[in-house]
Amino acid sequence: MSSPHVLVVGAGAIGAFFASRLATVPGVTVSAICRSNYKAVVANGLRVTSPVFDETVLRPAFTFCSPDEARESKQKHDTKWSHLLVATKLIQELGDPSALLDGLVNEGSSIVLMQNGLGIEDPYKKRFPQATIISSTTRTSAIQNKPGHIKHNFLTRTTIGPFTPNANETTSDIATQRTQEFAALLHSAGIPDVDILDHAGMQFARWHKTAINAAMNPTAVLARGPTNRAMVLDEELEIHLKAVMKEVLDVACKILGQPLPEWLPRIADVIQGVKGDTSGSHPSMWVDWEAGRKVELEAILGNPLRQAREHGLVLPRTQTIYALLKKAQEVRENQHSIESKLQT
Ligand SMILES: NC(=O)c1ccc[n+]([C@@H]2O[C@H](COP(=O)([O-])OP(=O)(O)OC[C@H]3O[C@@H](n4cnc5c(N)ncnc54)[C@H](OP(=O)(O)O)[C@@H]3O)[C@@H](O)[C@H]2O)c1
């Protein structure tokens, strides 16, 4: 691989954390597309603190305020990004997220999607059929406390695999090789626990993470903000959380045509792990909801529901929480727009 130049699309908590790690690897250049933190990053860089790694301040080679600015710069400087690391929140109702990358992808570029949710790769495959798409989920916990200041809380475990549905052998081999190369970069960047999977394994890992998120995230919002631990210690909520995880995993096994792989944690182990989490952490959906932001509703709840339906399967509990949260979000958006009209 010739000198990698990584463009981080969405330099928030996860994007900035991985950008700051990758920038420590000799020969790797990192640039970033920012949004609300743009001015802070231009002025002071991306500061990342961590209980594991030394504090770093990353000054990206190029800091862009928008994808449009990145497109202009690419034309002007003939830049070829080897990897486009996408780490935006997935708010699908705002439109096709893959449009952000229009004009930024070269022949030989890999698109690395480091986001939660299911079916998130499809829009990229459709828009960039020739590009290598690498799918990734991470258990890293991080937050952007103020613009440009990122706090890594704990964990780094990251799962990565090529997205190659219906690919021929050559395309599949190339995607596998590029996945291994990117995983090696993460490893050189000090991330010790990167699990490399094949396409099928990665899709199972994605369903598994989505099962946990589909249970924990909306429940925290609908229950008005208990911590992760408080939810699993509540007798009734524990029953509900396990049942949501189970129905999503059961559907995953039917759609993917195999039992839950041995290497994925069982529901009881997941719940036990959360019981031992004394950090006081909340699911990110609650953090977004409380801050008045839209939540990753479609990626985490709507997409599994639709995939189940396409296969003639049902997810009754997931459907209920999806319908409730969707309506709650609509009601809140309407209230916001009435309030802002009254203020003007
Ligand atoms: N944080 C975690 O601990 C964690 C753990 C595991 C997985 N994840 C997943 O990782 C993904 C990223 O989460 P995150 O917590 O890093 O979110 P985040 O802190 O909100 O960061 C997302 C960044 O993307 C930027 N962005 C969004 N749309 C953009 C656009 N059109 N152009 C340029 N920038 C844009 C946001 O800018 P604005 O600030 O202007 O909105 C923000 O800086 C999500 O799918 C999440 O579920 C997060």
Side-chain angles (χ1 to χ4, degrees):
M1 185 172 36
S2 58
S3 310
H5 189 166
V6 181
L7 176 66
V8 175
V9 183
I14 291 297
F17 171 74
F18 281 94
S20 76
R21 289 285 88 228
L22 288 165
T24 64
V25 181
V28 173
T29 306
V30 176
S31 292
I33 301 182
C34 295
R35 198 163 63 174
S36 56
N37 60 2
Y38 171 71
K39 281 189 185 154
V41 177
V42 170
N44 302 311
L46 285 161
R47 179 179 298 273
V48 181
T49 58
S50 164
V52 183
F53 304 104
D54 289 342
E55 181 172 328
T56 56
V57 177
L58 167 63
R59 292 190 175 275
F62 293 92
T63 304
F64 304 114
C65 66
S66 66
D68 278 343
E69 199 188 24
R71 281 184 265 279
E72 277 169 36
S73 169
K74 177 176 166 36
Q75 285 208 327
K76 193 166 155 196
H77 302 285
D78 192 26
T79 316
K80 292 184 173 58
W81 288 294
S82 54
H83 302 86
L84 295 105
L85 175 60
V86 183
T88 55
K89 280 262 161 69
L90 255 174
I91 312 296
Q92 274 168 255
E93 57 271 41
L94 296 182
D96 178 349
S98 68
L100 287 184
L101 302 197
D102 249 345
L104 300 177
V105 180
N106 278 97
E107 202 187 325
S109 301
S110 303
I111 300 171
V112 185
L113 301 173
M114 197 175 276
Q115 293 164 304
N116 279 331
L118 198 70
I120 68 159
E121 304 93 346
D122 296 335
Y124 294 87
K125 191 78 213 161
K126 206 166 163 198
R127 189 178 293 270
F128 307 107
Q130 307 306 327
T132 296
I133 295 172
I134 298 174
S135 188
S136 178
T137 58
T138 185
R139 290 184 61 204
T140 303
S141 166
I143 188 157
Q144 182 168 213
N145 283 327
K146 61 179 196 169
H149 283 222
I150 287 85
K151 181 172 174 265
H152 171 222
N153 295 319
F154 46 79
L155 298 181
T156 51
R157 174 152 242 124
T158 298
T159 304
I160 189 164
F163 183 73
T164 49
N166 315 316
N168 63 35
E169 208 174 314
T170 315
T171 315
S172 202
D173 286 350
I174 293 171
T176 300
Q177 190 194 332
R178 291 195 182 148
T179 302
Q180 285 164 350
E181 286 168 357
F182 192 73
L185 284 185
L186 292 176
H187 211 261
S188 307
I191 310 290
D193 41 6
V194 182
D195 303 320
I196 308 174
L197 301 172
D198 61 9
H199 169 83
M202 186 60 221
Q203 288 308 303
F204 236 126
R206 204 168 257 298
W207 269 99
H208 186 269
K209 184 126 200 284
T210 303
I212 299 168
N213 289 334
M216 303 294 289
N217 274 289
T219 301
V221 177
L222 296 170
R224 307 293 300 153
T227 62
N228 285 308
R229 186 161 185 264
M231 285 193 284
V232 295
L233 288 178
D234 182 285
E235 213 176 306
E236 291 300 327
L237 278 185
E238 186 187 2
I239 296 170
H240 153 79
L241 294 166
K242 283 180 172 170
V244 174
M245 290 180 202
K246 181 175 183 322
E247 73 172 19
V248 176
L249 287 177
D250 286 350
V251 158
C253 293
K254 286 183 184 147
I255 291 179
L256 300 175
Q258 49 171 305
L260 191 66
E262 290 291 320
W263 46 268
L264 280 168
R266 309 291 111 168
I267 292 171
D269 299 331
V270 171
I271 296 287
Q272 207 48 42
V274 183
K275 282 184 178 167
D277 172 10
T278 52
S279 68
S281 67
H282 290 86
S284 62
M285 203 178 259
W286 166 251
V287 177
D288 284 335
W289 179 270
E290 207 190 18
R293 295 188 288 263
K294 282 200 165 73
V295 299
E296 293 182 295
L297 181 73
E298 299 303 332
I300 290 175
L301 292 166
N303 287 351
L305 206 56
R306 280 182 284 274
Q307 288 206 22
R309 283 179 182 154
E310 279 165 24
H311 288 81
L313 301 166
V314 288
L315 288 168
R317 287 178 183 258
T318 308
Q319 192 278 336
T320 303
I321 50 183
Y322 171 68
L324 288 171
L325 189 55
K326 190 165 184 273
K327 189 49 80 181
Q329 185 161 268
E330 268 171 39
V331 168
R332 195 181 63 162
E333 292 299 311
N334 287 340
Q335 277 167 351
H336 282 176
S337 78
I338 291 167
E339 279 162 19
S340 60
K341 271 184 199 145
L342 287 174
Q343 278 166 11
T344 51

